[in-house]
Amino acid sequence: MNKLSAQLLATLPLGTSTILILDAKAQAKRGKFRHILLTELSSLAQEHGISSACIHAKPLKGRGHTLSFYGVPPALQQRMRNVWTAYE
């Protein structure tokens, strides 16, 4: 995914919280996140060569979030879900 596409997706209201990854660095675009979550997601992005991506989150009725990934390979999505759950 290119930078422009990731930035455009981050502006869309597809979730109540949004994290944008640019140049393998995660940053909050909508919502508040713990610094450790952004650091860990940045580390995974750098480790797997993801330069641009977007993650949208919607809260579930009980506990947790439904995550939508754009620009993240399916093989890495579960690891990112695990990091999200551990540090949300």
Side-chain angles (χ1 to χ4, degrees), residues 3-6 11 24 27 32 39-41 57 59 69 79-80:
K3 287 183 183 184
L4 185 59
S5 296
T11 63
Q27 55 187 319
K32 293 185 179 183
T39 301
E40 290 297 319
L41 290 174
F69 296 95
R79 285 187 67 190
M80 287 195 166

Side-chain angles (χ1 to χ4, degrees), residues 52-86:
S52 302
C54 183
I55 305 169
H56 289 284
K58 293 180 187 177
L60 294 173
K61 288 184 180 181
R63 178 182 159 94
H65 291 85
T66 294
L67 302 179
S68 299
F69 296 95
Y70 302 92
V72 176
L76 184 59
Q77 291 178 8
Q78 186 58 51
R79 285 187 67 190
M80 287 195 166
R81 281 188 189 93
N82 294 344
V83 167
W84 189 287
T85 301

Side-chain angles (χ1 to χ4, degrees), residues 12-80:
L12 299 176
L14 300 176
T16 56
S17 302
T18 303
I19 291 179
L20 175 63
I21 298 173
L22 289 179
D23 299 321
K25 293 190 181 201
Q27 55 187 319
K29 293 308 283 181
R30 185 178 299 119
K32 293 185 179 183
F33 301 95
R34 295 175 63 191
H35 180 70
I36 187 72
L37 173 62
L38 299 174
T39 301
E40 290 297 319
L41 290 174
S42 296
S43 177
L44 280 174
Q46 186 174 20
E47 180 182 328
H48 292 276
I50 298 171
S51 60
S52 302
C54 183
I55 305 169
H56 289 284
K58 293 180 187 177
L60 294 173
K61 288 184 180 181
R63 178 182 159 94
H65 291 85
T66 294
L67 302 179
S68 299
F69 296 95
Y70 302 92
V72 176
L76 184 59
Q77 291 178 8
Q78 186 58 51
R79 285 187 67 190
M80 287 195 166

